Amino acid sequence: MSVVLAQLVRSGLTESTHSGFLILIGPDGSDLLTLGDVDAEMYPRSAIKSLQAAAMVRNGLALNDEQLALVCASHGGTERHLEVALEILKSAGLSESDLQNTPDRPIYRKARISWGAKPATALAANCSGKHAGMLATCVVNGWDTKTYRDANHPLQIAIANEIQELTGQPINRTSVDGCGAPLFSMSTRSIAVAARKMRIDNDPVFSKVVNACLKHPEMILAEGAFDTRMMRAVPGLLVKGGAESVMLASLADGSAIAWKISDGSNRANGPMMKAALAKLGITIDGEVVDVLGGGTVVGSLSATF
């Protein structure tokens, strides 16, 4: 079902490989490239936070661009990220104590080092922006904030409906994400289709979500970290990764990139994004992963397509 998408070569010998599924959709909506079974069921994890955010905005969530970008984010846990999450909660008359996402420490290396030995908190966890947005949406609609993570809660039903509308596919399986929110299965193709629709549809909800992310890429992860770095490198490129190596990217012309690496490793993200963008006629600098032997370059980790 999966095919090799990246390989590590040392002195001419393939030492390791990363297999999975990948799809590139062109501006006209046709498949530019499909590798592996892109219709196979998988969990998209945090790669689809913009889809979830669209459902929140459609149901009355009204935030400024920086705050909305954080709702779409797997933020790094910097001081500003935590401040913005608190702003969202405060705007709804809520506080950090209302968050029910799984406690964690910051995922961005610099922020985690600064965090030190302090205990994990729900606010510092990378999904706190999404959960703050979910809670604020509940307040707008008069929905219960204590049960907002339940799959049968009006908020989660609205999110599921939004996702099905965007992907054009029914949700066949519901689980629980690492943060505690419902997690819906879909396919690599379906998330690419959804990302494309959010870029070319005239729906003002989609425009608001996308524009917020593009205006504040530093909210999506952290400066220097992969998603933010790619958005800085290519103006207009929306990038969002998810756990277990799911990646989703889109451009204003409707081009979309999506992949799922079967072993869950994200170490080939740079070379793979570089190769995928090249297929769309976009060249980026860097993102070369050298293989060293005794301090000398003896090979590389690169995409196979």
Side-chain angles (χ1 to χ4, degrees):
M1 294 175 64
S2 62
V3 300
V4 175
L5 301 177
Q7 61 184 8
L8 187 150
V9 176
R10 181 185 296 271
S11 299
L13 176 66
T14 299
E15 189 172 24
S16 302
T17 61
H18 297 292
S19 299
F21 322 114
L22 177 142
I23 182 169
L24 303 183
I25 297 178
D28 63 355
S30 64
D31 293 354
L32 284 182
L33 178 66
T34 60
L35 296 170
D37 185 359
V38 296
D39 295 307
E41 184 181 28
M42 59 93 177
Y43 288 122
R45 306 299 295 272
S46 290
I48 61 162
K49 281 182 175 173
S50 61
L51 281 65
Q52 294 169 302
M56 297 180 221
V57 172
R58 194 175 305 285
N59 283 275
L61 180 64
L63 301 173
N64 66 36
D65 288 339
E66 186 181 31
Q67 294 164 347
L68 183 55
L70 194 76
V71 174
C72 300
S74 295
H75 68 73
T78 67
E79 183 176 345
R80 185 55 185 160
H81 291 145
L82 306 193
E83 290 173 349
V84 174
L86 288 174
E87 288 175 5
I88 297 170
L89 291 167
K90 185 177 179 180
S91 72
L94 302 171
S95 68
E96 181 178 352
S97 64
D98 292 292
L99 290 171
Q100 295 179 30
N101 56 289
T102 307
D104 199 0
R105 294 176 175 84
I107 60 171
Y108 182 45
R109 183 175 178 274
K110 291 181 180 178
R112 198 178 188 98
I113 291 172
S114 297
W115 192 260
K118 291 186 293 185
T121 68
L123 184 66
N126 73 87
C127 288
S128 65
K130 179 182 77 173
H131 282 254
M134 287 180 171
L135 283 163
T137 305
C138 289
V139 170
V140 170
N141 290 278
W143 295 334
D144 182 44
T145 58
K146 301 297 184 183
T147 59
Y148 76 94
R149 298 183 309 164
D150 293 352
N152 61 355
H153 189 282
L155 169 71
Q156 302 303 340
I157 292 172
I159 288 173
N161 289 338
E162 186 81 21
I163 288 172
Q164 290 178 119
E165 178 67 25
L166 275 164
T167 62
Q169 298 293 325
I171 292 171
N172 295 320
R173 192 188 309 261
T174 300
S175 184
V176 182
D177 212 337
C179 65
L183 174 65
F184 308 113
S185 69
M186 50 200 73
S187 68
T188 313
R189 177 188 295 280
S190 65
I191 64 172
V193 167
R196 168 180 167 77
K197 185 171 183 178
M198 287 189 70
R199 300 306 297 267
I200 63 172
D201 197 291
N202 292 324
D203 189 328
V205 168
F206 300 150
S207 297
K208 183 173 180 60
V209 171
V210 170
N211 290 338
C213 294
L214 295 179
K215 188 175 179 180
H216 292 282
E218 75 282 357
M219 288 290 114
I220 303 304
L221 188 48
E223 293 294 356
F226 185 78
D227 297 10
T228 300
R229 186 171 76 244
M230 290 298 95
M231 292 175 70
R232 294 287 191 205
V234 182
L237 180 68
L238 176 55
V239 179
K240 185 68 192 74
E244 299 303 321
S245 197
V246 180
M247 187 59 60
L248 184 60
S250 64
L251 287 158
D253 65 2
S255 301
I257 302 165
W259 71 67
K260 160 64 182 168
I261 302 298
S262 300
D263 65 10
S265 171
N266 61 11
R267 70 171 179 170
N269 277 353
M272 286 181 59
M273 185 63 76
K274 188 182 185 81
L277 289 171
K279 297 288 186 183
L280 298 174
I282 299 171
T283 302
I284 59 172
D285 296 326
E287 305 308 321
V288 175
V289 179
D290 292 327
V291 172
L292 302 180
T296 301
V297 177
V298 294
S300 65
L301 173 63
S302 60
T304 58
F305 54 90

